[in-house]
Amino acid sequence: MRRIAFLVPLLAVAAAAPQQAISPSRFGLSDGLRQGALALGTAPAGTTRLTLDDAPVAVAADGRFVIAFDRDAKPQALLTATLADGTTQTATLSIAPGDWRIERLPTLRKIPVPSAEFAAKRSGELAQIVAARATGSDADGWRQRFVWPARGRISGLFGAQRIYAGEPGSYHGGVDVAKPEGAEVVAPADGVVTLAADPPFTLEGRLLILDHGHGVTSAFLHLSRIDVRVGERVRQGQPIGLVGRTGRATGPHLHWAMTWNGARIDPLLVAGAMPAS
């Protein structure tokens, strides 16, 4: 007798891990988050993985973490903690809009397209900047209250942008502090040097980048001198260079820019109001 085998597909139905929505305060975060801001938090006990809109967030051994929101961040973000038992806890974060200085110039056109020679040189410089910001370190500066690397008049605000004949230009990615050439620049928080561009880059001039750990970086542009080397550990308040006007700068000043995992953030919101000189 001939046997006929019937193959019956087995459908494996995986049970979804229980998910609990909690308040942002359960992560040690307030509801007053905004575009361009950085915030510290504490993950729920037993967290094995933390994500912000599905992107991984580093969590320290004590559960502390840092997150930040780009200048153009969306109004909401989802923070998700996966616990050791497989359950998840989520918090929907409300991101307040920033108040950026927008200048409209209806009769002016944007700067012409750069030459091929400039573009070729620039691509190598940008690659170094990207690599420096992605290097990472075990620095704990991200935990500290940041200080101003130079004190003086703020001459340029983060997020400021010009609209040329209806076409938006790039927004200002940092804060400018007007200082005389040769004025001292100090580390705003503990960090590790990941880039010390000397000779100067075409736009940034002598550029110094510090990694503060957990994805937080600081960049200092237009320096006249850099006093630290790649790989060197620096402490908050330590002199790291001198103000200058190298690169594309109309006068001596310090341009301080910050990022978190590639998101550009406002140093003014991190360090607070400029103290009296």
Side-chain angles (χ1 to χ4, degrees), residues 14-184:
Q19 181 172 303
Q20 177 187 9
I22 62 177
S23 166
S25 62
R26 293 281 298 275
F27 282 92
L29 297 167
S30 69
D31 293 326
L33 305 172
R34 60 164 290 179
Q35 292 175 331
L38 178 150
L40 295 174
T42 304
T47 295
T48 58
R49 185 171 185 265
L50 186 67
T51 61
L52 181 66
D53 288 337
D54 296 326
V57 176
V59 180
D62 62 358
R64 297 288 284 167
F65 65 89
V66 61
I67 56 175
F69 305 95
D70 191 89
R71 185 256 203 193
D72 298 323
K74 295 179 180 179
Q76 287 190 333
L78 185 66
L79 191 61
T80 303
T82 302
L83 308 187
D85 61 3
T87 62
T88 60
Q89 294 187 359
T90 65
T92 300
L93 310 182
S94 296
I95 314 303
D99 183 17
W100 317 119
R101 179 176 294 175
I102 306 298
E103 185 179 2
R104 299 185 184 278
L105 304 170
T107 62
L108 291 181
R109 297 290 180 180
K110 286 181 66 176
I111 298 174
V113 176
S115 67
E117 181 182 356
F118 172 86
K121 184 175 182 180
R122 187 64 182 151
S123 63
E125 294 173 348
L126 290 175
Q128 291 183 62
I129 293 172
V130 170
R133 284 178 168 159
T135 297
S137 73
D138 60 355
D140 275 339
W142 60 274
R143 296 177 180 265
Q144 297 173 315
R145 173 67 177 179
F146 279 62
V147 300
W148 282 91
R151 294 186 180 187
R153 178 178 61 87
I154 294 178
S155 57
L157 293 172
F158 174 86
Q161 187 176 32
R162 288 179 172 178
I163 310 297
Y164 299 92
E167 186 178 359
S170 299
Y171 68 81
H172 195 233
V175 172
D176 290 342
V177 181
K179 295 287 288 185
E181 188 162 355
E184 186 176 76

Side-chain angles (χ1 to χ4, degrees), residues 58 125-138 192-195 207 209-219 230 258-263:
E125 294 173 348
L126 290 175
Q128 291 183 62
I129 293 172
V130 170
R133 284 178 168 159
T135 297
S137 73
D138 60 355
V192 175
V193 180
T194 58
L195 179 63
L207 167 66
I209 295 181
L210 297 181
D211 180 81
H212 302 294
H214 280 223
V216 181
T217 70
S218 283
V230 171
M258 293 189 68
T259 63
W260 174 76
N261 289 347

